Amino acid sequence: MSSKPPSTHGDIRGAARLAADATAGLTDLVEAMHQRIASAPGATAADGRTSGITGLVYKSIRGVTRLVGGSVDGLLGLLEPLLAPRADAAGDTSPTRPPQPQREAIVAALNGVLGDHLAATNNPLATTMALRHAGQPLLLDRAALRARLPQANGHVIVLLHGLCMNDLQWLRAGHDHGAALATELGATPLYLHYNSGLSIPDNGRQFASLMAQQVAAWPVPISRLVLLAHSMGGLVARSALAQAQDAGQAWPQQVTDLVCLGTPHFGAPLERAGHGVDVLLENAPYAAPLSRLGKVRSAGITDLRHGRVRPVVVGVAGSKATDAEAPLPLPDFPAGPRCYAIAGCLGASSKSLKARLAGDGLVTVDSALGLHQDAARTLHFAPDRQWVAQGVNHMALLSDAGVHAQLVAWLRPPANPAQPSRGAG
């Protein structure tokens, strides 16, 4: 599945505008990534510049860019050979071989920062949304799923990653919430892989369509369907549920639980200050040069900083409706899912205003818990379905033992399965 972002939405629309912001910076970026990914020992420099013939090539590119301008697509083309799938020791380059985590992390980060431009220009580095298992996309066909997942059962957990990340990065510090919950709860985990630089409503629409296909093709009756989302993933999930309901799709009725880890329901103040991407990219060292793009922000990043989940609506006067004008409540369709929220807090306690504002380093405690000073916009997570992970930063929510224990406590099958506790509250 592929889709182009709406032409009226986002900060990046085409190569010309992107070039005006950061073409010269992209040359430095490409060289720095080349130095980190592909250079031989002794061929690197402390300032991230390559040496020898490669260094002369980039020096020439930089000079031409200064004199006559440059195309972002031409510069991104320099990255493609570096990021092309590499053969293993046996020379295997087939799409079914295990993915390379380093390459996946770099491509995911590139999509987070420039993903809407990559998709709009049909760049081969653009990520196509898919549900994956063990890093490989699933064919959403009943027979294919039965063959690929012979142990599949009716308890399904779908995990949605955050900005600049990919499905493999649910594995952090030796822990993967999906795999661990699958073992403890007897569930089948599926992982969403998507272009996080597209607008959140666009990704929500694509995810809604994908879930409709997944539910229809699942090889056994679904008894429990959990959406477990980190950061931006929670906004994508909420957008998908709302758009699916508006479109009359049936799959939302089968979602029993929605769990949001560090989701900026009302935006991420740190990203508004321009530092949010740096926080995320420092966890993928080979992708760190992407922070050099500075002012450039994809549609996905723009939506994340404001917590925007609704599709853009352009009025007769050209004004754009925002979430501030049309807040989106938690899903409340008949027998709607149980909704949970976990916030991270860097301090030992979240009681002080300073600690709540610092939150997990990217998302404030109140934003993650759906609390807003405007009562009309507050998301009504029930008190027993909110939890603050003390001393845990945004990325550590993926591996913290306390977070895992809370997930197990919430998602453990009820004592009386015939009468599950449901509802958005």
Side-chain angles (χ1 to χ4, degrees):
M1 177 184 300
S2 63
S3 176
K4 294 185 178 181
S7 60
T8 58
H9 190 81
D11 286 345
I12 306 173
R13 286 297 171 265
R17 181 169 179 180
L18 184 60
D21 280 340
T23 299
L26 272 170
T27 308
D28 292 340
L29 179 157
V30 171
E31 182 178 14
M33 292 184 74
H34 191 156
Q35 181 261 315
R36 290 189 178 218
I37 300 168
S39 62
T44 63
D47 63 358
R49 296 287 173 87
T50 50
S51 60
I53 294 176
T54 303
L56 290 176
V57 170
Y58 281 110
K59 184 176 180 180
S60 298
I61 293 172
R62 195 173 292 105
V64 170
T65 299
R66 279 197 297 265
L67 290 174
V68 299
S71 162
V72 62
D73 299 299
L75 293 172
L76 286 172
L78 297 173
L79 275 178
E80 291 177 25
L82 304 179
L83 298 178
R86 300 177 185 176
D88 60 14
D92 183 11
T93 59
S94 68
T96 58
R97 62 186 292 260
Q100 301 163 291
Q102 175 182 308
R103 177 191 180 277
E104 295 280 325
I106 296 168
V107 173
L110 188 64
N111 274 262
V113 177
L114 295 170
D116 52 352
H117 173 77
L118 297 177
T121 56
N122 296 311
N123 191 295
L125 293 174
T127 295
T128 299
M129 183 178 284
L131 285 172
R132 306 214 297 186
H133 184 81
Q136 297 293 343
L138 294 170
L139 177 61
L140 299 182
D141 169 83
R142 190 178 302 273
L145 287 172
R146 184 178 291 113
R148 177 76 181 279
L149 304 172
Q151 304 303 318
N153 58 30
H155 186 176
V156 180
I157 300 178
V158 179
L159 295 93
L160 297 84
H161 63 75
L163 175 69
C164 290
M165 301 187 73
N166 67 78
D167 55 306
L168 299 181
Q169 288 169 299
W170 279 95
L171 176 61
R172 185 180 187 277
H175 176 82
D176 177 342
H177 285 315
L181 290 171
T183 298
E184 296 197 40
L185 305 180
T188 302
L190 306 178
Y191 298 79
L192 183 68
H193 185 223
Y194 68 99
N195 177 348
S196 61
L198 295 181
S199 76
I200 288 171
D202 191 15
N203 273 323
R205 178 185 55 77
Q206 292 188 45
F207 181 51
S209 177
L210 201 66
M211 285 302 298
Q213 297 175 59
Q214 183 269 325
V215 168
W218 199 243
V220 299
I222 293 178
S223 57
R224 191 168 189 185
L225 179 55
V226 177
L227 303 182
L228 175 56
H230 177 242
S231 194
M232 175 187 277
L235 300 179
V236 172
R238 287 179 55 212
S239 181
L241 286 166
Q243 293 189 68
Q245 184 181 15
D246 290 344
Q249 296 176 3
W251 69 268
Q253 305 296 332
Q254 294 190 256
V255 178
T256 56
D257 307 87
L258 169 63
V259 187
C260 300
L261 307 180
T263 292
H265 296 291
F266 301 117
L270 188 60
E271 171 47 36
R272 292 175 192 169
H275 304 299
V277 171
D278 296 345
V279 170
L280 297 170
L281 293 182
E282 69 184 12
N283 291 278
Y286 288 95
L290 286 168
S291 64
R292 299 182 183 204
L293 286 175
K295 294 186 301 178
V296 178
R297 290 293 185 267
S298 66
I301 293 174
T302 302
D303 286 348
L304 180 78
R305 69 165 58 143
H306 297 294
R308 182 179 295 136
V309 294
R310 287 188 181 278
V312 170
V313 177
V314 180
V316 292
S319 60
K320 295 180 180 179
T322 66
D323 280 350
E325 299 164 339
L328 179 67
L330 293 176
D332 60 354
F333 39 83
R338 295 173 287 260
C339 296
Y340 305 90
I342 291 181
C345 184
L346 296 177
S349 171
S350 60
K351 294 182 179 180
S352 72
L353 177 61
K354 181 179 180 180
R356 295 184 75 85
L357 290 176
D360 61 17
L362 180 63
V363 181
T364 67
V365 171
D366 285 355
S367 185
L369 297 182
L371 302 175
H372 198 279
Q373 58 186 7
D374 179 357
R377 298 197 67 207
T378 291
L379 301 180
H380 297 286
F381 291 98
D384 62 344
R385 294 175 185 170
Q386 304 175 31
W387 191 72
V388 179
Q390 305 290 355
V392 178
N393 66 34
H394 191 70
M395 297 304 301
L397 290 169
L398 294 172
S399 56
D400 181 70
V403 171
H404 171 66
Q406 187 61 53
L407 293 175
V408 172
W410 279 340
L411 298 178
R412 195 186 306 278
N416 183 0
Q419 297 179 347
S421 173
R422 299 287 294 274

